[in-house]
Amino acid sequence: MRTTRQDLLAEEVPLAIHANGEPLAVMMVSPCDLEDFACGFALTELGIARHDLLSVDVQSLLEGIRLDLATRHPLPRHALDPQRWLPGRSGCGICGHRHLEEVVRRPESVGQGPAIASSALEVALAALGKQQPVNAFTGALHAAAWARPDGTLVLVREDVGRHNALDKLIGAMLLGGIDAASGFALVTSRASYEMVAKAATAGMPLLAAISAPTALAVDLAQGCGLTLVGFLRRDRHVVYSHAGRLTAD
């Protein structure tokens, strides 16, 4: 039997990022929590710390959204290379890079961070679904969450792009003064190289993903001291690097 019902769809809009008046990138995003995204993107993609980001201006235009960043210091020369930044898809982080050394970034080692019980991962996962309001209606968004060592969720951000969701989470933590070394992150996606790079750049000691990691992601996590967890389920998970940070229940 055929029925007709109204459906709710997730928004996906083009976002143009400018810094000090210079165009940097265009990507597809969910149009929410954009100040958080700006702070996170500035750190993880441009290397701009929170105290060096003077202002964020968000403008809604006919064609999409423009995000203007004002920084305390000039951007690095490579960031302003007009041939580097190309229009990107949802959270496409390496679009526009022309050289291998620009793509494979090696963040500094993360701190020790707290000991985290394995059960805390499952506690965070069980709570996450209830804190994804847009995805609950549309089924189309990724989420990135920050949890205390006991698994209590503190922040959750959603976006059509998994990289964007993590940047939004990192930005919200920066704006909220949350120490990235005080808990762990959980993402509803695979753990790609860039997700690990962003988490490590922010200083997160542990990243848990509900899907698989890539080989390069595991290599990067091993090298920078980050605990990488994949295939997170309510009754099991796989630890790919630095398992010593997780404790038995």
Side-chain angles (χ1 to χ4, degrees), residues 158-198:
E158 294 182 283
D159 198 274
V160 290
R162 64 185 189 276
H163 303 98
N164 297 341
L166 185 53
D167 275 336
K168 286 180 177 180
L169 175 67
I170 292 170
M173 293 172 64
L174 291 171
L175 291 172
I178 297 176
D179 181 8
S182 64
F184 65 92
L186 168 63
V187 294
T188 60
S189 66
R190 73 178 186 273
S192 64
Y193 145 76
E194 279 197 289
M195 300 294 279
V196 171
K198 287 177 182 291

Side-chain angles (χ1 to χ4, degrees), residues 49-229:
R50 173 68 185 94
H51 60 269
D52 288 327
L53 187 60
L54 300 179
S55 65
V56 177
D57 181 47
V58 181
Q59 303 177 52
S60 294
L61 306 174
L62 180 62
E63 301 85 357
I65 300 174
R66 173 167 167 160
L67 191 63
D68 284 285
L69 312 177
T71 65
R72 188 181 307 275
H73 306 292
L75 295 183
R77 181 178 299 177
H78 73 273
L80 297 175
D81 185 346
Q83 298 186 58
R84 172 187 171 185
W85 292 104
L86 302 175
R89 299 172 178 82
S90 300
C92 178
I94 64 172
C95 292
H97 292 275
R98 294 176 299 153
H99 304 292
L100 287 176
E101 60 270 20
E102 293 176 353
V103 174
V104 182
R105 294 168 292 164
R106 295 284 178 177
E108 295 182 5
S109 295
V110 302
Q112 177 59 38
I116 298 170
S118 295
S119 60
L121 304 179
E122 299 170 11
V123 170
L125 178 64
L128 182 56
K130 297 179 181 179
Q131 298 196 38
Q132 294 178 253
V134 181
N135 188 66
F137 284 108
T138 66
L141 271 66
H142 285 293
W146 181 251
R148 298 191 181 102
D150 64 358
T152 302
L153 294 186
V154 178
L155 284 172
V156 179
R157 290 294 182 267
E158 294 182 283
D159 198 274
V160 290
R162 64 185 189 276
H163 303 98
N164 297 341
L166 185 53
D167 275 336
K168 286 180 177 180
L169 175 67
I170 292 170
M173 293 172 64
L174 291 171
L175 291 172
I178 297 176
D179 181 8
S182 64
F184 65 92
L186 168 63
V187 294
T188 60
S189 66
R190 73 178 186 273
S192 64
Y193 145 76
E194 279 197 289
M195 300 294 279
V196 171
K198 287 177 182 291
T201 298
M204 297 174 172
L206 186 151
L207 175 66
I210 66 171
S211 190
T214 65
L216 185 56
V218 173
D219 179 68
L220 181 66
Q222 188 66 40
C224 66
L226 181 142
T227 301
L228 181 60
V229 175

